[in-house]
Amino acid sequence: ATSQHEHDEL
Amino acid sequence: MNIFRLAGDMVHLLSFVVLVLKINATKSCRGISLKTQELYTLVFVCRYLDLFSNFISMYNTTMKIVFLGTSFAILYLMRGHKVIKVTYDREQDTFRYLFLVLPCALLALLIHNAWTPFEVVWTFSIYLEAVAILPQLVLLQRTQNIDNLTGNYVFLLGLYRGLYILNWIYRYFTEPHYIQWIVWISGIVQTILYLDFFYYYIKSWKNNVKLALPS
């Protein structure tokens, strides 16, 4: 998975 | 997680503390836009739909629950608390939700990274957050005698997104393939909306006079 779809920010 | 992201989150958290403090200490929500608060609650609900299905870290999960809980608590204070709700500036807080919600929903349907319900709703939350402050800014402009805590609250909200921009710059240079156009452009728009407010906030702080926005 790319970081684009991880949504690791609030 | 880098220092800008952490500082941004802490400032965001602090903005909630300041708002709850203002409402509770003065038993008044004068100058606070219920519309902006409802839009932020909608933003968090839409963004954190994956709260239980997508675990990133204990930190993320805790913060999401705190943001959701605080948003609903503020809505309760402003709409349900019998002393506080009568202090709400209903006649002044006239911004129409649909002018913000509808364009953001359409934009999310058109521009997103993936055509899945989660992703489109998440993208909608990003667009809506960028403009959700507008009812509050309009109300501030109409409010005479803006109290310090209300001014500080809006300042912290703007500062939070500004710190996130620094976080994205940092991540761009330190993480391979870290590109997030939707979030970046929305975040920049969101921060730009505060520039006018920042100008008057800093000016009033430097001259040690009460904050007032020209109408």
Side-chain angles (χ1 to χ4, degrees), chain B residues 85-105:
Chain B
K85 74 177 181 190
V86 297
T87 63
Y88 167 51
D89 298 318
R90 192 178 307 276
E91 293 75 27
Q92 308 259 55
D93 191 20
T94 53
F95 208 103
R96 310 284 267 182
Y97 300 102
L98 274 187
F99 286 158
L100 301 177
V101 173
L102 212 59
C104 290

Side-chain angles (χ1 to χ4, degrees), chain A residues 3-10, chain B residues 5 60 119 122 167-168 171 178:
Chain A
S3 59
Q4 230 167 17
H5 299 292
E6 279 175 5
H7 305 327
D8 59 352
E9 291 176 346
L10 293 169
Chain B
R5 158 81 197 278
N60 262 46
E119 191 66 19
W122 177 87
N167 152 59
W168 297 326
R171 291 188 72 171
Y178 182 75

Side-chain angles (χ1 to χ4, degrees), chain B residues 157-193:
Chain B
L157 272 181
L159 184 61
Y160 134 71
R161 222 38 175 173
L163 286 163
Y164 256 69
I165 293 178
L166 297 180
N167 152 59
W168 297 326
I169 294 170
Y170 181 90
R171 291 188 72 171
Y172 177 76
F173 286 110
T174 54
E175 290 174 35
H177 317 299
Y178 182 75
I179 307 244
Q180 297 218 38
W181 289 114
I182 288 174
V183 176
W184 293 349
I185 292 169
S186 307
I188 291 165
V189 168
Q190 188 172 346
T191 311
I192 286 172
L193 293 182

Side-chain angles (χ1 to χ4, degrees), chain B residues 66-196:
Chain B
V66 170
F67 284 179
L68 278 168
T70 321
S71 303
F72 279 108
I74 290 163
L75 288 193
Y76 163 72
L77 288 174
M78 293 187 72
R79 304 179 57 148
H81 190 288
K82 67 178 192 303
V83 178
I84 294 167
K85 74 177 181 190
V86 297
T87 63
Y88 167 51
D89 298 318
R90 192 178 307 276
E91 293 75 27
Q92 308 259 55
D93 191 20
T94 53
F95 208 103
R96 310 284 267 182
Y97 300 102
L98 274 187
F99 286 158
L100 301 177
V101 173
L102 212 59
C104 290
L106 285 174
L107 201 60
L109 287 170
L110 292 170
I111 305 174
H112 45 253
N113 284 326
W115 181 242
T116 66
F118 268 113
E119 191 66 19
V120 172
V121 172
W122 177 87
T123 309
F124 166 69
S125 84
I126 295 289
Y127 295 147
L128 188 61
E129 186 190 348
V131 293
I133 195 63
L134 286 173
Q136 179 64 68
L137 290 176
V138 169
L139 182 59
L140 269 191
Q141 210 167 50
R142 291 176 179 170
T143 310
Q144 308 295 316
N145 292 315
I146 301 165
D147 61 80
N148 284 336
L149 285 173
T150 303
N152 292 342
Y153 166 67
V154 176
F155 176 73
L156 290 170
L157 272 181
L159 184 61
Y160 134 71
R161 222 38 175 173
L163 286 163
Y164 256 69
I165 293 178
L166 297 180
N167 152 59
W168 297 326
I169 294 170
Y170 181 90
R171 291 188 72 171
Y172 177 76
F173 286 110
T174 54
E175 290 174 35
H177 317 299
Y178 182 75
I179 307 244
Q180 297 218 38
W181 289 114
I182 288 174
V183 176
W184 293 349
I185 292 169
S186 307
I188 291 165
V189 168
Q190 188 172 346
T191 311
I192 286 172
L193 293 182
Y194 287 89
L195 290 183
D196 188 59

